[in-house]
Amino acid sequence: MDIVLVWMGGNSVLAGCDQNESDALSLAIEETLSFLINAYPEAETWEQIRIEYVLLPKGLTQITIANAGPPVHLSRIPLYNPQNPSESEIDGLWYFLARSVVDDLTFKNLGWAGWQAVIQKRLARTSFKHKHADKTQDAKPDRKMSFTTRVATPNDAAELVDLTYDTYRYSYPAEHFYHEPKLRQVIEERGILSIVVEADGVIIGNSSFVLSQHTPRCAYLCSLMIKRAFRQSRAIIHLLNEVDRFIAASSMDVDLCHAGMVTTHTGSQKAGTKLGFMPVAILLSQTPIVDFRGMTTASVDRESLLLVIRLTATPQNPILYIPERHHAVMAPLLAQSGLNCSISGEQEAPLAMHSAFTSKEELNDGSAFITMTQLGQDISLRLQKRVFMLKAKGIQTIVILIPAWRPIPPNLDLVMASMHAIFTGIKPVSAQECYLVYCAVSGPVDFSLIKLSDTLAVALKDHCEQLFQELVAEQSE
């Protein structure tokens, strides 16, 4: 309580409160907090009280107290009558005192999120002026405005950080796009190549390629960023055209480019198709689970992604080895993407005694990738142990990559099914290397949420849904 009152006093001074106004707000907050704290002394650790002090237009101050305690029933708060205190109920004094010194005191029921007590008081004089939103941010660009495109330099890092926030707030998965020094360094080291579009010398759009040391022959195309005011302009067309030319010129010396397209809508998929990106796999994510307080508990709301590729070099695999059940759905997808090779279902028992793999965890979205580097006779046992360890860490979605340039282990689908994993496509990483993709999720998958624009991708989704339903049926037996 002491900490809150000191904090409130400092805010009141900044807001311009005189002594009487500051005392009134302190009294209201102290009485209201005391009531809420006494209402549930045995609170759980997640039942925290959050207090916000907001300065609103026309000298209005608003204090909001959010809590997850018992429901507040104003009709049950005893009435205190100062004219007849001896016959009034003392339990209602707090509400009388708090309500009498401010302009408004209300309680709002937020359902699963608990309750809010909202205190408002208008000040006679204020030391602050409400800042209206900058209208220039939303102003439509002049139709005659010219756009230029170029490759970003390390000196553009600050503008790229601002652009990332303007486009995604704090939801963009690549953390270095929020730290100027980190972004500057990775651009200097050519770990990222960014194509930017400018208007009047200001960066208004960006599309970046990530070049990983783990897969040096392929580049990952990140999400498109465009300032809000320019999203209906031709800036996007200029940026996409430059990205297309950049890939076609083989400026990065890679065999292919790949990207993960969102499946909540098809806009980015259609844009990717115009750039020559074709679907080859679906990276599944489980349906978010909601607990009794309305908080999601599964995979940090990670959505399923459509893996798309654009080849920049001739594939050097004459044969891809895929379990026979998946040939019919994969053959047209491979042909459409430019992987003109034959498909074989040949099986071969691993010669090595022990399997080997690399594992990469993406804790920010609750996923992990396991890449098999050697297929051994203990592949099932080794993978099961690794998958178990990852799920024990809270990893919800695990993608297992199996080499497709050599005959596959016997009964591969059954081995994967023992880890609750199903086949969802292929993932090339160079002109010579291509992997089978198996996805293991820890809960249900709502395939109706996966929106796809490509008809062959839709066929792959239907195929994956059938495999998933069969897996669920086997587990329930």
Side-chain angles (χ1 to χ4, degrees):
M1 184 70 74
D2 291 339
I3 294 174
V4 171
L5 292 178
V6 170
W7 177 72
M8 290 294 303
N11 286 341
S12 297
V13 171
L14 291 175
C17 296
D18 60 28
Q19 189 61 50
N20 289 335
E21 291 169 336
S22 180
D23 290 343
L25 286 171
S26 295
L27 176 61
I29 192 73
E30 184 174 10
E31 293 294 338
T32 305
L33 262 181
S34 296
F35 166 75
L36 294 174
I37 292 171
N38 291 329
Y40 61 115
E42 298 179 357
E44 301 291 341
T45 56
W46 59 270
E47 295 177 317
Q48 298 178 2
I49 291 178
R50 180 181 179 87
I51 306 175
E52 292 183 349
Y53 193 112
V54 183
L55 307 178
L56 299 175
K58 299 181 180 180
L60 186 65
T61 61
Q62 176 175 288
I63 302 164
T64 302
I65 309 170
N67 73 97
V72 178
H73 301 284
L74 288 179
S75 60
R76 298 181 185 178
I77 296 177
L79 296 178
Y80 181 83
N81 184 1
Q83 304 300 325
N84 192 5
S86 61
E87 296 184 6
S88 298
E89 297 187 47
I90 194 65
D91 289 343
L93 178 59
W94 75 268
Y95 183 70
F96 169 79
L97 292 174
R99 181 66 181 83
S100 62
V101 295
V102 296
D103 294 318
D104 191 31
L105 170 57
T106 58
F107 290 88
K108 296 182 179 180
N109 183 357
L110 303 181
W112 277 327
W115 284 79
Q116 274 188 351
V118 182
I119 300 171
Q120 289 187 337
K121 185 172 181 62
R122 195 174 302 279
L123 307 183
R125 295 181 180 180
T126 61
S127 59
F128 67 92
K129 181 178 291 186
H130 184 68
K131 183 179 179 181
H132 296 281
D134 186 358
K135 299 299 183 181
T136 60
Q137 292 292 331
D138 298 322
K140 294 183 179 180
D142 188 342
R143 291 190 175 184
K144 297 180 180 180
M145 180 177 289
S146 61
F147 301 104
T148 58
T149 54
R150 61 178 175 84
V151 177
T153 69
N155 292 334
D156 296 318
E159 280 192 84
L160 291 175
V161 169
D162 293 340
L163 177 63
T164 304
Y165 174 78
D166 181 79
T167 308
Y168 291 100
R169 291 299 186 257
Y170 289 107
S171 64
Y172 196 63
E175 186 182 10
H176 45 255
F177 272 91
Y178 294 101
H179 299 277
E180 180 185 347
K182 292 181 180 180
L183 186 56
R184 175 184 291 271
Q185 180 179 356
V186 76
I187 293 176
E188 286 177 347
E189 296 173 350
R190 288 183 64 84
I192 285 181
L193 290 172
S194 290
I195 311 297
V196 299
V197 57
E198 293 180 312
D200 294 332
V202 177
I203 293 177
I204 61 165
N206 160 56
S207 187
S208 298
F209 295 91
V210 176
L211 301 171
S212 172
Q213 295 179 353
H214 301 290
T215 52
R217 300 307 304 169
C218 68
Y220 180 76
L221 178 61
C222 300
S223 303
L224 196 70
M225 299 184 191
I226 291 288
K227 279 198 171 183
R228 295 169 186 248
F230 292 86
R231 290 179 187 173
Q232 302 301 320
S233 71
R234 292 187 58 81
I236 297 178
I237 303 300
H238 281 264
L239 183 56
L240 290 176
N241 287 340
E242 184 60 24
V243 170
D244 185 26
R245 286 193 292 268
F246 190 77
I247 296 175
S250 300
S251 305
M252 296 175 287
D253 188 28
V254 295
D255 296 340
L256 61 97
C257 299
H258 67 105
M261 299 295 183
V262 297
T263 58
T264 49
H265 56 80
T266 59
S268 59
Q269 298 173 34
K270 293 176 181 178
T273 300
K274 292 182 179 180
L275 289 175
F277 283 84
M278 295 300 168
V280 289
I282 299 174
L283 304 180
L284 297 176
S285 179
Q286 69 185 70
T287 306
I289 301 172
V290 178
D291 69 4
F292 68 95
R293 289 190 301 275
M295 300 172 64
T296 56
T297 60
S299 66
V300 199
D301 288 340
R302 177 185 183 272
E303 67 172 302
S304 297
L305 297 173
L306 180 68
L307 180 63
V308 297
I309 65 167
R310 172 174 169 175
L311 297 175
T312 57
T314 303
Q316 298 178 20
N317 281 321
I319 302 175
L320 285 183
Y321 296 90
I322 302 174
E324 290 185 4
R325 184 176 182 183
H326 316 306
H327 288 190
V329 71
M330 290 306 302
L333 279 169
L334 296 177
Q336 178 179 257
S337 65
L339 290 166
N340 298 313
C341 57
S342 60
I343 304 177
S344 172
E346 182 182 348
Q347 301 180 16
E348 183 178 276
L351 298 177
M353 289 292 295
H354 302 293
S355 298
F357 54 79
T358 61
S359 182
K360 180 182 179 183
E361 301 172 22
E362 300 288 350
L363 296 179
N364 62 324
D365 67 357
S367 65
F369 283 79
I370 299 175
T371 303
M372 299 302 304
T373 56
Q374 178 171 289
L375 300 177
Q377 298 177 23
D378 60 350
I379 178 173
S380 179
L381 181 61
R382 290 291 307 278
L383 277 179
Q384 283 182 349
K385 288 183 177 180
R386 187 58 184 164
V387 168
F388 178 82
M389 292 176 60
L390 289 171
K391 290 187 176 181
K393 287 184 177 182
I395 299 294
Q396 302 291 337
T397 303
I398 302 171
V399 178
I400 304 172
L401 303 178
I402 305 293
W405 60 85
R406 64 184 67 160
I408 55 178
N411 302 315
L412 180 60
D413 281 350
L414 293 178
V415 172
M416 293 295 109
S418 67
M419 287 160 279
H420 305 165
I422 62 169
F423 175 83
T424 62
I426 58 105
K427 180 183 180 181
V429 296
S430 73
Q432 297 177 320
E433 299 169 297
C434 184
Y435 291 90
L436 306 177
V437 178
Y438 284 83
C439 286
V441 295
S442 301
V445 177
D446 188 347
F447 285 87
S448 67
L449 298 177
I450 301 176
K451 309 299 181 183
L452 303 173
S453 61
D454 185 274
T455 55
L456 296 181
V458 172
L460 176 60
K461 183 194 78 167
D462 294 341
H463 181 70
C464 295
E465 183 173 11
Q466 182 179 349
L467 296 174
F468 186 80
Q469 296 302 332
E470 291 176 2
L471 181 62
V472 172
E474 290 177 3
Q475 293 175 356
S476 62
E477 292 180 354

